[in-house]
Amino acid sequence: MRTVIYPGSFDPITNGHLDVIERAARLFDRVIVAVANNDIKDPLFTLTERRSMVARSVTHLANVKAEYFTGLLVDYVERCQGDAIIRGLRALSDFEFEFQLALMNRKLNERVETIFMMPKESYTFLSSKIIKGVARLGGDVSPFVPPHVLVALARKYSKRKR
Ligand code: ADP
């Protein structure tokens, strides 16, 4: 039984994340999407909202589940008896940070490997940050996020305006 952990802030989950999750689900027996509690300073969505948006987006994948984690990722991977960490690589700009993170995680726990996956090329420019920027200004992000995330974004930004 091979388990892989896909960590991130998922604020919110995008079709780029989902593409990586679907690829990982074909390679591993079990994929745990781990929503980080302490990753970004000022998230738009709460931890519970982010986790439940991930859970709703992966209902078609029987071997994928959504969880939270706090603290060190390598400790979480041990607790779940994970074999590896999945990270997505979009462009060269991701590389330096991801490279440092993977080597630091290896220093912290040699047993845990990091695997990088590239999304479909049409998703390589997608990030949660850019989605929030466009949605906040009323732009159409429907090609880039699951439909329920689109609704959640519209709800958040209309509340903020009031
Ligand atoms: P973001 O950078 O979108 O805020 P997260 O912190 O949630 O993303 O990212 C979790 C992981 O998913 C990271 O490894 C990140 O590089 C990857 N990722 C994010 N968006 C995409 C995408 N469009 N395609 C592939 N990987 C992605």
Side-chain angles (χ1 to χ4, degrees):
M1 183 88 165
R2 288 273 174 199
T3 299
V4 76
I5 315 294
Y6 180 33
S9 31
F10 303 100
D11 184 44
I13 185 168
T14 69
N15 291 343
H17 293 125
L18 205 49
D19 183 272
V20 169
I21 294 169
E22 284 166 354
R23 286 170 202 279
R26 287 196 289 270
L27 289 178
F28 288 87
D29 301 306
R30 196 160 69 115
V31 179
I32 300 175
V33 183
V35 182
N37 190 17
N38 46 4
D39 223 24
I40 44 175
K41 268 196 211 123
D42 188 19
L44 177 63
F45 293 99
T46 66
L47 184 61
T48 314
E49 287 171 331
R50 286 183 276 141
R51 195 199 77 109
S52 71
M53 283 190 282
V54 172
R56 243 183 115 173
S57 310
V58 298
T59 50
H60 61 298
L61 301 166
N63 59 340
V64 178
K65 66 176 181 171
E67 298 286 355
Y68 323 99
F69 83 99
T70 46
L72 272 183
L73 176 62
V74 286
D75 293 343
Y76 177 76
V77 174
E78 281 292 346
R79 285 202 296 282
C80 310
Q81 297 179 318
D83 297 286
I85 296 167
I86 288 276
R87 297 288 288 178
L89 268 191
R90 286 164 287 201
L92 263 189
S93 50
D94 275 340
F95 179 77
E96 194 165 352
F97 174 70
E98 293 293 343
F99 182 72
Q100 288 175 346
L101 193 67
L103 291 184
M104 177 53 80
N105 282 333
R106 180 179 285 168
K107 275 253 175 296
L108 294 170
N109 186 333
E110 260 187 24
R111 197 189 66 80
V112 178
E113 290 294 345
T114 301
I115 297 170
F116 294 102
M117 301 197 87
M118 283 169 291
K120 194 159 109 183
E121 70 258 22
S122 53
Y123 295 143
T124 50
F125 62 92
L126 264 190
S127 71
S128 300
K129 191 172 169 190
I130 210 152
I131 290 294
K132 287 181 281 189
V134 174
R136 186 170 63 84
L137 298 172
D140 177 19
V141 292
S142 59
F144 312 121
V145 293
H148 63 92
V149 172
L150 195 65
V151 173
L153 280 166
R155 212 174 276 153
K156 261 304 168 199
Y157 286 124
S158 76
K159 247 189 227 159
R160 287 200 161 184
K161 267 188 232 149
R162 269 188 248 139

